[in-house]
Amino acid sequence: MAGQGNKIVNIIKEKCPNCNKGDVFYKNQPFFSLPKMKDDCDVCNYHFDREPGYFLGAMYVSYGLAVFQGIATFLLCRLFIPNLDTLYVVLSVCGIMTLLSMKNYRWSRVAYMYIFPN
């Protein structure tokens, strides 16, 4: 691995798994549109897109992120607002999972590239 730095921070910032400097996704895209991934890193020319079906495994990473966010939201609701009605807790969990769905898509793909480098 050519780059230095904390991998979790680099995944959150959506940086190249090879140099940790280039962006994996194009910037300035609409929030709820499917993010467009670059073919190659602008800094080190690392090829992001692999063979067809490579990112199917990233669905499991995305699922894990969504479950973690849902559990965290539930626990925060119960901890800070213990008398909140169950319906509002469920709506809060669903709302957070919906709001973070596109971010999870991006983070899961980048994390998958860090887990299984080329």
Side-chain angles (χ1 to χ4, degrees), residues 63-81 84 88-97 100 104 107:
Y63 176 75
L65 284 170
V67 167
F68 172 76
Q69 292 158 355
I71 291 171
T73 303
F74 171 80
L75 292 175
L76 288 172
C77 284
R78 288 296 180 204
L79 180 66
F80 291 113
I81 315 170
L84 188 64
Y88 294 118
V89 173
V90 171
L91 291 174
S92 299
V93 169
C94 291
I96 290 296
M97 292 171 86
L100 292 175
N104 284 345
W107 286 340

Side-chain angles (χ1 to χ4, degrees), residues 16-18 22-27 29 35-51 54-55 105 109 113 118:
C16 171
N18 189 48
D23 294 320
V24 175
F25 289 90
Y26 290 103
K27 298 291 181 191
Q29 296 181 17
K36 176 114 173 74
M37 197 166 109
K38 295 179 180 180
D39 290 328
D40 299 308
C41 177
D42 296 332
V43 177
C44 67
N45 292 327
Y46 182 77
H47 190 63
F48 298 134
D49 199 16
R50 306 298 196 315
E51 70 272 0
Y54 174 78
F55 287 111
Y105 175 84
R109 282 185 166 230
M113 286 191 292
N118 191 9

